[in-house]
């Protein structure tokens, strides 16, 4: 591809990004917030046009990015993202929802993203009741959050499973390929080990946790810098 062709392709991409950005801002935000275009949306984001929900920004100066490649990964950045918002998406500050993010917020669902929310790749959040992230949380790729079993389980004509909130504390890191299931509460500064299935709450701060209630390490802290 010659230089002229590359310029044309890049221009087309920017036009498509602008179209998706305008559409999401004016569909989901109040007009007063939408006119400032606080949400930047990639052309690779698929928007369910039948969505009836709203996005609420708690800080009008926030900047939100949806569907873009995370600079710290080697992914191509072409993974499709999906927005299906029939409930409420509440964003408290800046947020980066990387390429491949899939938000499925049902009619009564509330998804809350704290300040400086960061995802690094493909992640899915199925919210039928309430999923809440504290401030400064990072979500790795191939992760799943579900506050519901999606289907009803009966025992002797009684429903034995119900939707339950998920709450992630401040400054938590959810490792790649982890699953966070309904009813889970994680204290602040928790790391969920890669590949873990978390179905119970952990109310101890500063810990690395894994599947089956295993605490790998206590009294830890972490940051986004790469290890030496």
């Amino acid at each position: 591809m010659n230089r002229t062709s590359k310029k044309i392709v890049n221009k087309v991409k920017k036009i498509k990004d602008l179209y998706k950005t305008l559409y999401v801002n004016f569909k989901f935000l109040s007009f007063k917030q939408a006119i400032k275009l606080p949400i930047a949306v990639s052309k690779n984001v698929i928007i369910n046009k039948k969505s009836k929900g709203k996005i609420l920004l708690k800080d009008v100066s926030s900047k939100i990015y949806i569907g873009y490649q995370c600079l710290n990964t080697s992914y191509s950045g072409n993974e499709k993202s999906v927005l299906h918002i029939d409930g409420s998406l509440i964003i408290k500050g800046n947020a980066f929802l990387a390429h491949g993010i899939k938000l499925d917020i049902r009619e009564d669902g509330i998804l809350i993203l704290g300040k400086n929310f960061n995802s690094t790749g493909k992640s899915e959040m199925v919210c039928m009741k309430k999923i809440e992230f504290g401030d400064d949380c990072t979500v790795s790729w191939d992760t799943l959050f579900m506050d519901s079993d999606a289907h009803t389980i009966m025992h002797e004509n009684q429903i034995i499973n119900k939707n339950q909130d998920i709450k992630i504390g401040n400054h938590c890191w959810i490792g790649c390929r982890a699953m966070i299931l309904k009813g889970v509460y994680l204290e602040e500064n928790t790391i969920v080990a890669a590949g873990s299935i978390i179905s119970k709450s952990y109310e101890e701060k500063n810990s690395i946790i894994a599947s089956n209630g295993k605490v790998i390490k206590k009294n830890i802290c972490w940051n986004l810098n790469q290890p030496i």
Side-chain angles (χ1 to χ4, degrees), residues 143-161:
T143 49
L144 173 65
F145 300 81
M146 289 183 63
D147 64 359
S148 170
D149 295 322
H151 304 290
T152 300
I153 301 174
M154 308 287 290
H155 177 68
E156 297 180 351
N157 295 321
Q158 297 292 323
I159 297 174
I160 62 172
N161 65 327

Side-chain angles (χ1 to χ4, degrees), residues 58-104:
K58 293 297 186 179
D59 183 351
V60 295
S61 64
S62 298
K63 193 64 180 177
I64 293 91
Y65 296 89
I66 302 177
Y68 293 94
Q69 181 181 7
C70 177
L71 296 178
N72 294 325
T73 68
S74 58
Y75 291 122
S76 65
N78 293 322
E79 184 82 38
K80 295 292 185 182
S81 299
V82 179
L83 294 183
H84 178 194
I85 305 174
D86 279 337
S88 298
L89 172 58
I90 300 172
I91 304 176
K92 294 184 177 181
N94 295 332
F96 186 88
L97 287 72
H99 62 97
I101 193 83
K102 293 178 175 62
L103 303 184
D104 184 0

Side-chain angles (χ1 to χ4, degrees), residues 8 102 134 212:
I8 293 173
K102 293 178 175 62
N212 302 318

Side-chain angles (χ1 to χ4, degrees), residues 204-209 215-221:
E204 188 171 349
K205 302 177 183 179
N206 313 319
S207 299
I208 303 175
I209 63 174
V215 177
I216 298 174
K217 201 79 172 176
K218 297 183 179 181
N219 301 318
I220 59 92
C221 61

